[in-house]
Amino acid sequence: MGRVFKYGDNIDTDVIIPARYLNTQDPKELAKFCMIDIDENFNKEVKEGDFIVAGDNFGCGSSREHAPIAIKASGVKAVIAKNYARIFYRNSFNIGMPILESDEAVEKIDNGDDIDVDFKTGIITNNTKNEKYQSQIIPAFMEKIIAADGLVNYVRQGGRNE
């Protein structure tokens, strides 16, 4: 179970991690500035296992991998959005961070709600409202990448698409 931090449409990578903080590759340092331009309290309030919920086109903007790295390092378990910029979608799985798409969940979940996600079934449970929503199911080969904590680790472990 985790708390929801909800944002709107077109949250770009410069909002997720502003360019002025990209003088480091350290995920923990990046996490300190995650979402700072849209939510100055995010890095003080987010806890391990929390979620980001957002609207359309989450992760648009630059192709830098720093954005999903900052989100993951901040403790966010997953991002749920209506849809994603394609490069953000790819980068998220490449670093082992699950992301889900669900119009219904985005419409019905509010900031501060407590939710759970069953990644096997794609069921998102809103414990605050006692509701359930369906997201797409993460393909099995992508689950393996997430379990390995990213594509590089997956390959190092001898992974392959089966």
Side-chain angles (χ1 to χ4, degrees):
M1 183 162 50
R3 177 180 172 202
V4 169
F5 291 83
K6 188 168 183 181
Y7 305 103
D9 297 336
N10 301 310
I11 302 300
D12 69 37
T13 55
D14 286 327
V15 169
I16 296 168
I17 182 66
R20 66 188 179 275
Y21 300 113
L22 296 179
N23 55 354
T24 182
Q25 297 292 322
D26 180 13
K28 291 187 188 314
E29 283 298 309
L30 293 171
K32 290 179 184 177
F33 305 105
C34 186
M35 308 305 277
I36 197 163
D37 283 351
I38 194 170
D39 183 351
E40 64 185 25
N41 292 317
F42 176 80
N43 68 351
K44 296 174 191 118
E45 295 177 2
V46 69
K47 293 185 178 28
E48 192 73 31
D50 284 345
F51 296 88
I52 289 177
V53 173
D56 285 312
N57 203 26
F58 188 85
C60 57
S62 75
S63 61
R64 71 178 78 123
E65 231 174 29
H66 298 79
I69 289 170
I71 292 170
K72 183 178 177 185
S74 72
V76 168
K77 187 172 186 176
V79 177
I80 302 164
K82 287 186 177 182
N83 55 63
Y84 298 87
R86 294 294 98 188
I87 192 68
F88 182 87
Y89 185 90
R90 176 75 181 244
N91 284 341
S92 295
F93 285 107
N94 284 350
I95 62 133
M97 184 180 73
I99 58 176
L100 301 169
E101 293 180 341
S102 174
D103 288 351
E104 180 185 23
V106 172
E107 294 298 326
K108 293 184 175 180
I109 293 172
D110 291 319
N111 191 54
D113 284 357
D114 284 317
I115 65 171
D116 283 319
V117 173
D118 182 334
F119 292 104
K120 294 283 186 202
T121 64
I123 299 291
I124 301 163
T125 302
N126 187 328
N127 300 305
T128 303
K129 296 179 178 175
N130 197 26
E131 296 176 342
K132 294 183 185 289
Y133 324 110
Q134 183 68 53
S135 73
Q136 93 289 2
I137 297 172
I138 297 171
F141 77 94
M142 292 173 106
E143 283 182 357
K144 292 177 185 176
I145 293 170
I146 293 167
D149 200 30
L151 184 60
V152 171
N153 290 335
Y154 177 72
V155 172
R156 283 183 182 149
Q157 295 168 8
R160 64 180 198 279
N161 290 339
E162 297 173 359

